[in-house]
Amino acid sequence: AAVAMFTGKANCPYYAKAELLADYLQTNLPSFRVHKITQHPDKWEQWLHDICETNGWEHRQCPIIWRELLDRGGKGQLLGGLNDFLEYVQQYYGITSMMLSEEMLAIAEENLQTHAEIEKEDEEIKSLIKPMQIWITSASVPICYHLIPLLANGEVFGITTEISIHLLDTDQFKEILHGIVMETEDMAFPLLRSISEHTNIDQAFIDADIIIVLDDVLLNLEVQSRENYIREVSEICQVYAPLIEKNAKSEVKVISSGKTFANLKATLLRTYGPSIRPENIIAISTSWESAAKAMLARKLNMSTAGVKDVIVWGNISGSNYIDLSHAKLYGYDCAIWGPPRFQRPVLNMIYDSEWIHSELQSAQSTLSSRVSRCAGMLPAHAVATVLQYWYHGSPSEEIISVGILSEGQFCIPEEIIFSMPVRFQNGNWEVMTELEINETTQEVLGRLSHELVQEKLVALKEINEMHPYEAEENST
């Protein structure tokens, strides 16, 4: 059994004549089989060169026609171009094509239009099944190791969304990245199309839908000043931001996490990457929120899942404020019971006011130590949870704390990333400005804002000296 292979430019009249004659033969001769490959005119020369080089043929015309013996394998037998095919058909089957030039040109034009439509349709179909591209920076850190299974199991983006994960880090961590890739591949997640390692910074963030920034500095104030660490963070963001603007998709979502300067990283990515959508740059504060809920649950001897609406204000990896004024308890074992949605205010259930005012405030350092020393499960879960909310919505009426770009809500200065209460709906978030805050909280927010403003000023100081007018405009 043999099949005749026809390939030519979509707008070539000679290809049109050859394929129509081939269609006629296939319809009328049971033993004659045809396979056609139509090429776009722009791709034809390269395709012809490659196929001839692979098979050792000499042919420079359109179309190119050859026979393949299906039951024998091996390379095909070159027949040649249109004239060779016409001669072959006349000799073996006694059939001649009488198609006129006008018909050939008309069919060639129709072929080109049809080919363009088919290509467009194929692109649309491919776009529907194209995996979501997720880039993770500083991917050798433990957070990334714990995050990958959470992203790949289908719960974050949905069981119909395939993903591709790109791990980015420096050359010195190449072996670690390779180990993570191999172990992830061994787990065979159905929705994970691919996972790859990258150490070439120039190729970072290509086609990224989501970028998770995990870069940290090893903060040791006995070695060098806080200002020097801030400059390190600034240098990292000055590298990343232009690459995100250049290589990532226009709607890319950028998530800042890590143990140090989470807010500042997000702020500087916004500053150095002005074309990145500001509402798509956030910092994750859910680790603090979760740890505070667990601390309350231990105090009240109840399940952590029943503690809701704890708000984390301010600098996620710096000075922040845990606000219990809106916090609620669900399923709390007390004298008053109700249906599953029945809730009690936290402050009404903790009668030990001294504990609230002293123990909780001193617990800030305990929580800070726990969050910063954790092996990676807690921050990984925090990132995955916020992503799930971002794509599918957060629980109705529930308060989520996220670091977002301030627009003056709650009298917080603009243009800094500040953790505040939000809700996620329809792929977006909105600040819960309807929440009332008391004077004490407002005073605390003022102090927290000052710290973040100062961090930003220190980070921009160096660039201010180099480009004073441009920097002044950026920091405004």
Side-chain angles (χ1 to χ4, degrees):
V3 61
M5 306 291 292
F6 289 75
T7 299
K9 293 184 288 185
N11 64 344
C12 175
Y14 303 108
Y15 175 60
K17 183 170 184 174
E19 68 163 345
L20 261 72
L21 177 57
D23 287 343
Y24 173 82
L25 293 172
Q26 182 170 248
T27 302
N28 292 278
L29 300 173
S31 62
F32 192 92
R33 298 175 61 189
V34 176
H35 181 70
K36 293 179 288 184
I37 305 173
T38 305
Q39 295 290 339
H40 191 278
D42 295 341
K43 300 178 181 177
W44 165 253
E45 293 296 336
Q46 185 61 48
W47 190 92
L48 179 62
H49 174 271
D50 292 344
I51 193 72
C52 289
E53 189 174 83
T54 300
N55 291 279
W57 296 334
E58 286 290 335
H59 189 84
R60 294 292 177 266
Q61 303 168 346
C62 175
I64 180 172
I65 304 164
W66 70 93
R67 296 173 71 238
E68 286 190 356
L69 303 176
L70 300 182
D71 56 350
R72 296 184 191 177
K75 73 175 185 177
Q77 176 190 355
L78 179 66
L79 296 180
L82 174 63
N83 291 335
D84 300 304
F85 179 58
L86 292 176
E87 183 179 336
Y88 172 83
V89 171
Q90 174 65 37
Q91 181 179 349
Y92 277 87
Y93 303 108
I95 297 173
T96 303
S97 173
M98 304 302 291
M99 183 183 293
L100 301 176
S101 299
E102 292 80 0
E103 291 178 274
M104 292 164 57
L105 290 169
I107 292 171
E109 184 177 344
E110 183 182 317
N111 277 351
L112 181 60
Q113 182 179 349
T114 302
H115 182 70
E117 291 173 356
I118 291 172
E119 278 196 330
K120 182 180 178 182
E121 188 176 300
D122 286 345
E123 286 299 317
E124 290 175 351
I125 292 172
K126 287 178 182 177
S127 69
L128 294 176
I129 61 174
K130 190 174 182 180
M132 181 179 291
Q133 304 294 323
I134 302 171
W135 284 77
I136 305 175
T137 73
S138 195
S140 62
V141 300
I143 299 175
C144 178
Y145 186 82
H146 292 284
L147 180 60
I148 289 172
L150 300 177
L151 297 178
N153 66 16
E155 292 184 10
V156 173
F157 304 108
I159 59 172
T160 60
T161 303
E162 291 190 344
I163 65 173
S164 287
I165 297 177
H166 304 266
L167 307 179
L168 178 67
D169 216 320
T170 57
D171 272 326
Q172 70 182 104
F173 298 108
K174 191 170 184 178
E175 288 297 319
I176 296 176
L177 296 187
H178 186 65
I180 295 173
V181 168
M182 295 290 287
E183 188 170 352
T184 304
E185 288 174 343
D186 289 346
M187 296 175 76
F189 292 103
L191 295 174
L192 182 61
R193 178 78 67 86
S194 65
I195 181 167
S196 54
E197 57 195 91
H198 303 266
T199 55
N200 183 356
I201 189 65
D202 294 331
Q203 301 300 314
F205 313 129
I206 291 177
D207 292 331
D209 293 289
I210 296 170
I211 298 171
I212 302 169
V213 179
L214 300 180
D215 296 72
D216 271 318
V217 294
L218 298 175
L219 200 61
N220 186 347
L221 298 179
E222 295 179 0
V223 175
Q224 60 177 325
S225 68
R226 187 176 183 83
E227 286 74 15
N228 286 337
Y229 288 115
I230 289 175
R231 289 193 187 96
E232 282 186 36
V233 174
S234 180
E235 289 169 4
I236 293 169
C237 294
Q238 286 183 66
V239 173
Y240 285 168
L243 288 170
I244 294 172
E245 291 183 302
K246 177 185 174 183
N247 294 337
K249 293 178 182 173
S250 60
E251 299 294 311
V252 63
K253 291 178 169 61
V254 182
I255 294 169
S256 173
S257 185
K259 299 176 181 179
T260 58
F261 299 108
N263 291 54
L264 182 62
K265 284 184 292 186
T267 298
L268 295 179
L269 288 171
R270 160 65 181 156
T271 304
Y272 299 136
S275 70
I276 305 170
R277 291 184 62 183
E279 62 270 29
N280 280 4
I281 303 177
I282 68 171
I284 301 295
S285 55
T286 322
S287 295
W288 277 94
E289 189 179 297
S290 300
K293 289 176 180 178
M295 185 180 66
L296 287 167
R298 282 190 286 269
K299 170 69 175 176
L300 296 166
N301 194 27
M302 63 175 293
S303 167
T304 304
V307 184
K308 308 289 185 183
D309 300 345
V310 173
I311 302 174
V312 178
W313 297 95
N315 191 351
I316 294 160
S317 49
S319 298
N320 54 53
Y321 172 60
I322 297 172
D323 183 0
L324 302 183
S325 59
H326 299 276
K328 304 175 185 67
L329 305 176
Y330 291 81
Y332 179 53
D333 187 6
C334 64
I336 303 175
W337 280 79
R341 292 188 59 81
F342 177 72
Q343 46 83 13
R344 304 284 289 165
V346 166
L347 296 181
N348 287 2
M349 297 295 101
I350 300 179
Y351 298 105
D352 187 352
S353 58
E354 183 179 340
W355 185 87
I356 296 174
H357 295 295
S358 61
E359 192 73 19
L360 184 59
Q361 297 306 316
S362 64
Q364 290 279 123
S365 59
T366 305
L367 284 174
S368 177
S369 176
R370 182 179 293 119
V371 170
S372 63
R373 289 202 323 265
C374 67
M377 283 192 294
L378 178 58
H381 178 263
V383 171
T385 299
V386 171
L387 274 172
Q388 183 178 13
Y389 290 164
W390 208 343
Y391 280 86
H392 302 291
S394 54
S396 177
E397 303 302 321
E398 191 169 323
I399 298 173
I400 309 297
S401 300
V402 175
I404 54 97
L405 190 70
S406 170
E407 296 179 348
Q409 303 96 332
F410 305 107
C411 299
I412 297 165
E414 297 182 12
E415 293 299 314
I416 58 171
I417 297 291
F418 196 93
S419 180
M420 62 182 80
V422 305
R423 67 167 63 89
F424 289 89
Q425 286 181 323
N426 303 318
N428 301 300
W429 52 259
E430 60 177 355
V431 179
M432 301 179 72
T433 52
E434 72 275 14
L435 293 180
E436 296 183 4
I437 59 175
N438 55 38
E439 291 183 10
T440 302
T441 301
Q442 192 68 67
E443 289 177 8
V444 173
L445 299 190
R447 293 198 301 272
L448 300 178
S449 301
H450 179 74
E451 178 186 284
L452 287 166
V453 170
Q454 290 305 307
E455 277 190 357
K456 182 178 179 182
L457 290 175
V458 171
L460 297 177
K461 181 179 179 182
E462 185 176 327
I463 199 170
N464 282 352
E465 295 170 353
M466 295 173 59
H467 308 288
Y469 299 109
E470 179 183 347
E472 182 179 347
E473 181 180 340
N474 283 339
S475 62
T476 300

